[in-house]
Structure formats: structure tokens, C-alpha cells
Amino acid sequence: MSRNTEALSVIADYSFDEKTINIHPNDGYDLGLMMTDAVVRIFVDCTMDEFMSGQATHIFGTLNLKNETKAGTVEMSLRTAQRIGRPKQVRLYFDDTDGEKYGKIYIQPV
């Protein structure tokens, strides 16, 4: 069963690479994450069914929980934001129940 955040405001910046996502620790807690960073499989531009099955295209990256990131926001690369239509808000879904070494993060426009 996946856990998700509330709608998070997107801060997209060219200085981030596609493999880096930053959120506030409180938002990470909503996902069930308690560590400062986690290697994850990042899914964008797919359906929820494709995400849950793990069959969609993904990249490996790092989800960082940083106090410097404002609560209720997600920092990501400009390219990632463009791939999903430059939404003002997204919801993050996290799932680690498929038996793989690394959990999955799905970035869904709101």
C-alpha cells in the first residue's frame, strides 16, 4: 500500500538534476520516511497503475529530507517539472512493498 503527501507546491530549478528531490522532513513523515535521504526509483509521466506495477520507465535518484526546504513544497529539477507539464502542485506517492531493494516515488500533478 502506498503512502502519499498532501498537495505540495513545486519549486523547479535548473540547478537540480533529475535524480534529486528535496522535501521537508514533515512531508517525508507522511510518506513513512524517517531518514535524511533515501535512494528511490523515481516515476513520472505514467499512470498510477503503471507505478504500482513498477512497469513504467523510472530512474534511480535520491529523495532528501531537508529542514531548509519549506514544509508543503517539493524541490525538483526543471526538466522533471517540464516532463509532467510544469504543474503548480504535485502529490508524492511512496511504495516499498514490491520486495525490491529501493522504494518507489511517483510524482503526480494535482
Side-chain angles (χ1 to χ4, degrees):
M1 180 173 158
S2 68
R3 296 172 294 274
N4 62 281
T5 63
E6 295 297 320
L8 303 175
S9 298
V10 175
I11 298 175
D13 195 306
Y14 68 89
S15 66
F16 289 103
D17 64 19
E18 289 186 86
K19 298 177 181 185
T20 303
I21 300 172
N22 295 338
I23 61 175
H24 190 273
N26 291 350
D27 298 317
Y29 180 79
D30 292 343
L31 299 175
L33 299 171
M34 304 300 257
M35 67 290 273
T36 57
D37 56 56
V39 174
V40 293
R41 293 171 286 159
I42 302 170
F43 290 79
V44 296
D45 200 23
C46 65
T47 66
M48 180 59 82
D49 290 336
E50 292 169 331
F51 164 69
M52 291 306 294
S53 69
Q55 299 304 309
T57 303
H58 63 274
I59 60 171
F60 285 91
T62 305
L63 176 66
N64 299 301
L65 278 52
K66 295 185 162 200
N67 285 317
E68 300 82 24
T69 302
K70 183 178 174 187
T73 64
V74 57
E75 298 175 340
M76 67 175 71
S77 78
L78 185 58
R79 184 170 178 186
T80 299
Q82 289 171 334
R83 285 181 58 198
I84 56 176
R86 300 223 31 191
K88 293 192 183 306
Q89 293 186 316
V90 296
R91 187 167 279 123
L92 300 184
Y93 292 85
F94 179 75
D95 182 62
D96 61 356
T97 60
D98 62 0
E100 296 289 328
K101 182 176 181 178
Y102 302 110
K104 303 182 292 190
I105 285 284
Y106 176 42
I107 304 172
Q108 182 185 55
V110 174

